[in-house]
Amino acid sequence: MPQNESPAPRRGLDKRHADAASALRDIVRDGQTLAVGGFGLCGIPEALIAALRDSRAKGLTVISNNAGVDGFGLGQLLATRQIKKMISSYVGENKEFERQYLAGELELEFNPQGTLAERLRAGGAGIPAFFTRTGYGTIVAEGKETREFDGHHYVMETALKADVSLVKAWKADTAGNLVFRKTARNFNPAVAMAGKVCVAEVEEIVEVGSIDPDHVHLPGIYVDRIVLNATPEKRIEQRTVRAGEK
């Protein structure tokens, strides 16, 4: 090879898939546990959720801060009855979620928000369990081990792991190194790390070396597949505007 030529990139490092459906086709099955990034409708993998809906996989346990809204985000999977159990923190904004839960059609494992984030982080870090003061003396602690440390009572929470993680980022290089934009970072890094297989939906894909290493929020070692969705909807849950002047 001439000295002024660079070696061709190895194809094995290119994690791009043609679309969300092809990225999920051989990894999503009935009865799996999936972790899905996002906070409300901020930073949710819209295209991957729609592809999961279209896969018709059923009996799913889904770990996510909440379950979207009626007709969008994870709310679509509730409408098609593909979710049997939610492991969540905030369960408002979704009437179908409420209806199914109150009717006994949907299981719910409720978590304080910080506890949910730490359970996902622990799953990705290989920590089987941890103790937290949050939830002690409430229904959150029912059936769980408790201990006293330095005069304070703690609840033992176990780590969360997923068969498949679905996350949303702003930018990726072809090796899967991710950059998140502002508050869309939310639960996504912890969700990615907690999954055996992680698929990332991004708005822009660049070549390896185009992202400053100091700007990488999540290394590509945690990401197995990437899907381009250059024009996501990015819906707003509740739009509040100032009344017009008279």
Side-chain angles (χ1 to χ4, degrees), residues 13-126:
L13 292 178
D14 193 333
K15 299 178 180 179
R16 287 176 291 186
H17 276 248
D19 52 39
S22 67
L24 299 185
R25 187 168 295 125
D26 62 337
I27 59 173
V28 171
R29 297 181 296 277
D30 292 352
Q32 286 183 318
T33 295
L34 287 89
V36 182
F39 185 99
L41 298 183
C42 177
I44 66 170
E46 301 173 18
L48 289 171
I49 292 172
L52 181 59
R53 175 202 62 202
D54 294 342
S55 75
R56 299 185 180 181
K58 59 183 183 298
L60 303 176
T61 295
V62 178
I63 307 165
S64 187
N65 181 65
N66 61 335
V69 296
D70 292 293
F72 194 68
L74 290 174
Q76 298 173 91
L77 303 184
L78 290 172
T80 54
R81 310 302 293 273
Q82 290 170 264
I83 298 176
K84 73 169 186 178
K85 179 179 180 179
M86 285 293 307
I87 302 177
S88 301
S89 174
Y90 178 61
V91 295
E93 308 295 341
N94 193 315
K95 293 180 181 178
E96 181 59 18
F97 188 116
E98 178 184 351
R99 190 199 66 75
Q100 289 186 25
Y101 175 66
L102 293 177
E105 301 169 1
L106 177 69
E107 297 177 54
L108 171 63
E109 184 177 329
F110 189 70
N111 295 254
Q113 198 166 74
T115 299
L116 180 64
E118 183 65 5
R119 291 183 72 190
L120 285 164
R121 191 199 69 82

Side-chain angles (χ1 to χ4, degrees), residues 136-149:
Y136 179 81
T138 73
I139 59 172
V140 170
E142 290 181 1
K144 298 175 183 177
E145 180 180 341
T146 61
R147 289 192 188 181
E148 183 177 342
F149 298 96

Side-chain angles (χ1 to χ4, degrees), residues 188-243:
N188 280 294
V191 163
M193 295 170 67
K196 295 177 182 177
V197 179
C198 175
V199 186
E201 174 183 327
V202 301
E203 297 176 43
E204 182 180 352
I205 300 176
V206 298
E207 293 300 321
V208 172
S210 299
I211 303 175
D212 185 325
D214 286 339
H215 295 166
V216 172
H217 293 143
L218 186 74
I221 192 172
Y222 294 110
V223 179
D224 299 283
R225 302 178 178 190
I226 51 178
V227 172
L228 180 66
N229 180 14
T231 56
E233 284 191 55
K234 295 185 181 179
R235 291 194 193 181
I236 297 174
E237 288 177 77
Q238 295 187 18
R239 187 185 302 273
T240 304
V241 296
R242 185 174 59 188

